[in-house]
Amino acid sequence: MRQERRASGLVWARFARAAGFSATYLRNIENGNRALTPEVAEAYDGVLSTGGRFTRALRDPAAGTRALSWDRPESMAMLTGLMKRGHVDRRELLTVTAALSASASSWARALESVPHRPLDLPGGADLLAHIGDRLDHLRHLDDELGGGDVLPLARGELALIIRLIGSDRYQGTTVPRLHAMASEAARQVGWAAFDQGKPGLAARYFDGALRASAEAGDPVGGAYAASFAAIQCYSTGPPERAVHLLDLAREQVRWRATPRMHAMLAARTARALSTTGARKECAHQLHLARTALDKGPREDDPEVLYWVDHGEIEMIAGSTALSLGDPAEALRRFEAARAADYPGDTAFPRSHAIYLARASEAHLALRDLDAAVATARHAARCLGSVDSARSASELAGLRARLRAHTAHTAVREFLQTE
């Protein structure tokens, strides 16, 4: 009920007035401090236009999850609503991660009732191909410039796709293709929003991406979106929820994904597990990632996985080792990534800035201040043309750690000039 109320964008005073109860009373119900009554459930259904879902769930608790499952009209209404209120960002971080976890569970259930469809391009092929090309361009723009520029552009692409779906102009397998594109566009908006420090906004678009992938019968696209939502979860909330998202994603694509997709999901699972301290499980997942990549590329590799290679996996392994308190191993993994010709400076400056900041932190933990400063300067150069609150935050955190060492000339000069 809290998730639906927040997604509506209604402020507390207006919502409570429309529901006919005091805001304090409704807060206590949402927090579990007061019992939910049929009258309150009916009021939420009425104000939020949920079709009686909360009332039915209250009458039959065993059917609660079924009553709250997605359906096509609800998903389309939600996607359309994103374009009207997508700028609102009121969710607290812990609530965001809970909402993402719930979205992933609903996505997995929804896929059970939707047949897997081939995403070919019949009628309207030229237009859809153009949209696909623009989405591909936005992915690379995000790599090079960060989420600030991508956020409004991706929202524009999503608005166009939603409009095409609602026009009834297309039929047959073109419709699921449009939904698959909507999923990728929503994922791009969600990722750009998270990159810009807007977790509530990001969560709603990640939810939209999962819904659209379920409508498309496209578990691979949904798993890809879930893997980005997982980064938000382990970055801002209980990491166990990130592991939950990734477990669901891997289960949905177990028999459908290419080795490259499995490598990406395993590597991100390792990164999520590292924030829980699960050392052995991390090592196992990284082994799975490397083994999968060793199988080589496939013709049916999703285009969105262009960035998944041995260099990227080793960069993730370096971050994983640092989270587990092993800076020496982190530096070995970062060096292995460079040996694998990781093109961070040119192709992925936003991500590379983050990895470099972590490598600098590892040097700092080993008391190699000169190496820490040299690596920090490299990270700052990467950020020179990037609009990314997430990357800037990593560098700010590194600067804060370096301030304890201002007696060292190189550290002092870096803090004064960068």
Side-chain angles (χ1 to χ4, degrees), residues 2 5 33 45 58 107 197 199 212 235 264 268 335 363 402:
R2 177 191 287 123
R5 190 250 316 154
N33 297 324
D45 282 329
L58 184 61
W107 166 71
S235 299
M264 183 275 291
R268 286 193 166 168
E335 181 56 37
H363 283 301
L402 285 169

Side-chain angles (χ1 to χ4, degrees), residues 97-149:
T97 57
L100 286 172
S101 183
S103 294
S105 297
S106 298
W107 166 71
R109 287 195 301 270
L111 280 173
E112 295 174 1
S113 61
V114 178
H116 179 60
R117 303 183 180 110
L119 301 178
D120 54 357
L121 293 171
D126 288 344
L127 176 59
L128 269 63
H130 286 313
I131 296 174
D133 288 343
R134 291 200 298 271
L135 291 176
D136 181 61
H137 173 71
L138 288 179
R139 284 190 287 269
H140 291 282
L141 194 66
D142 175 69
D143 294 332
E144 296 178 23
L145 299 182
D149 292 306

Side-chain angles (χ1 to χ4, degrees), residues 187-210:
R187 181 206 66 80
Q188 289 189 15
V189 180
W191 179 242
F194 172 62
D195 189 53
Q196 290 303 102
K198 301 177 180 180
L201 181 62
R204 285 195 290 280
Y205 279 94
F206 283 137
D207 176 77
L210 293 172

Side-chain angles (χ1 to χ4, degrees), residues 53-66:
R53 288 180 301 157
F54 297 125
T55 302
R56 291 194 301 273
L58 184 61
R59 284 200 304 263
D60 182 8
T65 35
R66 293 196 303 275

Side-chain angles (χ1 to χ4, degrees), residues 132 144 179 310 328:
E144 296 178 23
H179 278 102
H310 283 285

Side-chain angles (χ1 to χ4, degrees), residues 148-181:
D149 292 306
V150 171
L151 184 55
L153 295 174
R155 287 192 78 237
E157 292 297 327
L158 179 59
L160 171 61
I161 297 167
I162 292 172
R163 192 157 59 248
L164 291 175
I165 294 173
S167 71
D168 293 328
R169 175 181 175 184
Y170 298 99
Q171 304 295 327
T173 54
T174 303
V175 177
R177 175 64 180 175
L178 282 167
H179 278 102
M181 287 182 163

